[in-house]
């Protein structure tokens, strides 16, 4: 009963990392672009175009980058598994001793370690070596398409806020509205991600607000300087 009621967060790491990274990047990067443009240009059409371009380009870039990155991880995992399968076929005794040695190093007695290695090998030798020797399991296994879709969707959702603000906010106060709404939603995003991942909410919110403010402040300064130079 106790085991069934335990809550674990590690099985959320894969999709949570991609979703949080995508939403945070979508919100922060698009807002930063809009703030930079708004600080240099007072035309709403230009600001809206910048927000839309940032949202579309960023979402596609995030998805492509995540897919390529996780695909590389998947290729490495497949190569390791293929090599391990070949070794199990060619030298099963040596692989059995290697597996038992792993359990010994974790604190299991030599006799028990060999017994565990034998029983797990009889059940599924490749699975045992993948999990305990290579560190590959169902939770950590690379899923490129899932990661890419999560990144694309979450980036678009995050970028939607600055895009809507660029449509509705007063043009002469665009920078302040963009910053205010973005900080609020960055705080919400930080709290939700911390809650979902089981970490401390205060630290996550403070971290995301600090770096968000820094990013938007720098782009606003650049936009302002560019606008002054152009004028």
């Amino acid at each position: 009963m106790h085991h069934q009621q335990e809550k674990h967060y590690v099985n959320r790491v894969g999709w949570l990392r991609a979703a949080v990274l995508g939403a945070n990047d979508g919100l922060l990067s698009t807002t930063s672009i809009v703030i930079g443009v708004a600080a240099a240009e007072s035309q709403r059409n230009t600001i809206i175009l910048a927000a839309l371009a940032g949202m579309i380009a960023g979402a596609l870039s995030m998805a492509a980058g995540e897919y390529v990155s996780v695909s590389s991880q998947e290729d490495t995992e497949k190569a390791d598994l293929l090599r391990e399968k070949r070794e199990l076929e060619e030298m099963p005794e040596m692989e059995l001793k290697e597996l038992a040695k792993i359990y010994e190093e974790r604190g299991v007695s030599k006799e028990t370690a060999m017994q565990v290695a034998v029983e797990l090998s009889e059940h599924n030798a490749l699975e045992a070596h993948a999990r305990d020797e290579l560190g590959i399991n169902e939770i950590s296994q690379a899923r490129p398409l899932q990661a890419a879709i999560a990144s694309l969707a979450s980036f678009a959702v995050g970028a939607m806020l600055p895009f809507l603000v660029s449509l509705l906010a007063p043009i002469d106060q665009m920078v302040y509205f963009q910053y205010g709404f973005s900080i609020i939603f960055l705080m919400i995003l930080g709290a939700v991600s911390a809650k979902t991942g089981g970490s401390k909410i205060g630290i996550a919110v403070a971290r995301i607000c600090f770096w968000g403010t820094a990013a938007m402040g720098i782009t606003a300064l650049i936009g302002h300087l560019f606008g002054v130079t152009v004028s």
Side-chain angles (χ1 to χ4, degrees):
M1 180 67 73
H2 174 68
H3 177 73
Q4 292 177 344
Q5 293 176 345
E6 284 184 331
K7 294 179 67 175
H8 299 286
Y9 300 98
V10 68
N11 59 339
R12 304 173 180 174
V13 167
W15 65 264
L16 179 61
R17 183 188 72 84
V20 170
L21 178 62
N24 181 71
D25 196 23
L27 176 59
L28 187 53
S29 63
T30 307
T31 300
S32 297
I33 290 172
V34 173
I35 286 178
V37 172
E41 174 62 61
S42 59
Q43 297 295 320
R44 186 180 296 275
N45 288 344
T46 304
I47 296 172
I48 293 174
L49 180 61
L52 184 61
M55 179 171 62
I56 295 174
L60 294 176
S61 176
M62 279 288 293
E66 194 72 20
Y67 185 83
V68 170
S69 175
V70 180
S71 291
S72 297
Q73 179 186 340
E74 185 182 41
D75 292 341
T76 302
E77 290 178 356
K78 287 181 178 179
D80 283 342
L81 288 172
L82 185 62
R83 182 170 57 253
E84 196 65 35
K85 182 178 180 180
R86 186 170 59 249
E87 291 175 353
L88 284 168
E89 293 172 350
E90 295 175 355
M91 41 186 176
E93 290 299 323
M94 185 176 296
E95 288 297 303
L96 182 64
K97 292 178 181 179
E98 184 178 20
L99 190 61
K101 186 66 176 177
I102 292 173
Y103 301 138
E104 280 187 61
E105 292 174 352
R106 293 180 183 175
V108 179
S109 66
K110 187 173 183 178
E111 294 75 15
T112 304
M114 179 55 72
Q115 181 182 352
V116 171
V118 169
E119 292 184 10
L120 287 177
S121 296
E122 289 175 350
H123 173 69
N124 190 324
L126 183 59
E127 182 184 272
H129 281 270
R131 180 181 61 249
D132 296 319
E133 182 182 348
L134 303 177
I136 301 173
N137 54 54
E138 185 179 352
I139 295 173
S140 63
Q141 188 176 8
R143 296 179 177 84
L145 187 59
Q146 182 189 64
I149 292 174
S151 294
L152 186 148
S154 57
F155 187 101
V157 170
M160 187 60 65
L161 173 69
F163 176 70
L164 292 176
V165 173
S166 70
L167 292 173
L168 303 174
I171 193 68
D172 58 337
Q173 300 179 35
M174 181 65 69
V175 172
Y176 304 109
F177 272 82
Q178 289 285 352
Y179 174 76
F181 277 102
S182 293
I183 282 295
I184 292 172
F185 276 84
L186 280 172
M187 292 174 67
I188 295 173
L189 179 62
V192 169
S193 62
K195 181 69 175 178
T196 306
S199 58
K200 294 182 178 180
I201 294 177
I203 295 176
V205 170
R207 183 170 52 223
I208 202 169
C209 285
F210 174 80
W211 289 110
T213 298
M216 289 184 281
I218 291 171
T219 52
L221 178 61
I222 293 173
H224 176 70
L225 294 175
F226 178 78
V228 171
T229 303
V230 170
S231 60

